[in-house]
Amino acid sequence: MNVSAQRGLLRRDKVFGFLTPAVGQQLDTTHSTLLYMENVSVSFDGFKAIDNLNFYVDKGELRCLIGANGAGKTTMMDIITGKTKPDTGSVIFGKNVDLLDLNEAEIAIAGIGRKFQKPTVFENLTVFANLELAMADFKSVWWTLHSKLNSAQVDQIEHIASTIGLLDMLNKQAGYLSHGQKQWLEIGMLLMQRPLLLLIDEPVAGMTHQEMEKTGELLQSLSGDHTIVVVEHDMEFVRSIAARVTVLNQGTVLAEGSMADIQNNDDVRRVYLGE
Ligand code: ATP
């Protein structure tokens, strides 16, 4: 019997046999852990980028993932989103979805959204149109551009624009937004897909102090309803959002806890400060 069957996990044909826009909403998340990564390893040409990693994220949590360059943060995100398949281990979403059995598109549909460091909004389109295009269903771009939105859809766009602080800018072309506003718009575009888990890579890189503060407030306000994992190098920002922190080192978890716990952790001090 394979691991999925032993654990009573849903196989991909069970998860996607009924492909609907709201597959993610049908996920069983009745218990508190939303993402499990257990004994996960992956090697590239003999080099272990992820080494027997165990990582758990609770539903509604805001988690920061930190670690030096090459610690394995991007590879870990690639594994969660299906871009890279590990050599060993299991990656479970909710109580019952085996992510290793799904491809990247299916993982996105299951409710995992990823935002890369560089904002990738459609610069020639308005904020409204960017949010509209990101709406959670399986319409084609052509259909979206040629059909009329119903009032619930307009409400959803306005609600998200308000959440990301861009309600007054709905008719502005995205190319004219500041760097910080583009980052918030892209977070809004992710939210349009109603993800259960958001993976956000270095959201505050290149932001002004004020934009950084607003981003912290935004992520804190989204947690609870959403589960968020933020990869971030800016320690001041990590401290300011007071999230639980996981320190990755050589592809495995070195320490986990509050920022204060991390700063006082002997292993962290040894690795980072050479103490
Ligand atoms: P950074 O903060 O610089 O983005 P990171 O913590 O995200 O670093 P990864 O990009 O996950 O680290 O890389 C972990 C290690 O795996 C690095 O040594 C990297 O060179 C190696 N690596 C990652 N992807 C590949 C690949 N496709 N082929 C070979 N080596 C890889």
Side-chain angles (χ1 to χ4, degrees), residues 29-36 56-61 227:
T29 57
T30 46
H31 63 327
S32 69
T33 307
L34 185 68
L35 178 75
Y36 298 74
Y56 308 90
V57 183
D58 284 347
K59 198 172 156 193
E61 205 186 324
T227 307

Side-chain angles (χ1 to χ4, degrees), residues 12 52 96 103 127 137 145-146 151 183 193 204 244 274:
R12 81 191 281 284
N52 206 20
N96 49 1
N103 64 33
V127 168
D137 57 27
L145 293 173
H146 293 82
S151 63
Q183 295 285 38
Q193 294 157 27
V204 298
R244 199 170 151 78

Side-chain angles (χ1 to χ4, degrees), residues 14-123:
K14 289 272 172 26
V15 180
F16 290 96
F18 53 99
L19 204 62
T20 71
V23 170
Q25 310 305 317
Q26 297 168 19
L27 190 73
D28 184 346
T29 57
T30 46
H31 63 327
S32 69
T33 307
L34 185 68
L35 178 75
Y36 298 74
M37 299 181 83
E38 278 177 352
N39 307 317
V40 174
S41 294
V42 69
S43 297
F44 300 114
D45 304 323
F47 172 77
K48 264 201 169 171
I50 295 292
D51 188 5
N52 206 20
L53 174 79
N54 292 301
F55 180 72
Y56 308 90
V57 183
D58 284 347
K59 198 172 156 193
E61 205 186 324
L62 172 56
R63 178 73 65 90
C64 285
L65 185 63
I66 65 173
N69 292 340
K73 305 179 296 295
T74 304
T75 308
M76 197 173 145
M77 298 297 119
D78 289 348
I79 291 172
I80 298 167
T81 54
K83 188 173 170 204
T84 297
K85 292 293 177 193
D87 303 325
T88 56
S90 48
V91 185
I92 313 297
F93 188 44
K95 197 154 119 188
N96 49 1
V97 173
D98 182 354
L99 292 183
L100 301 186
D101 201 31
L102 306 182
N103 64 33
E104 280 183 84
E106 291 165 338
I107 289 172
I109 294 165
I112 299 183
R114 182 176 189 179
K115 184 195 164 330
F116 291 91
Q117 185 184 342
K118 222 170 150 270
T120 49
V121 299
F122 298 101
E123 305 244 335

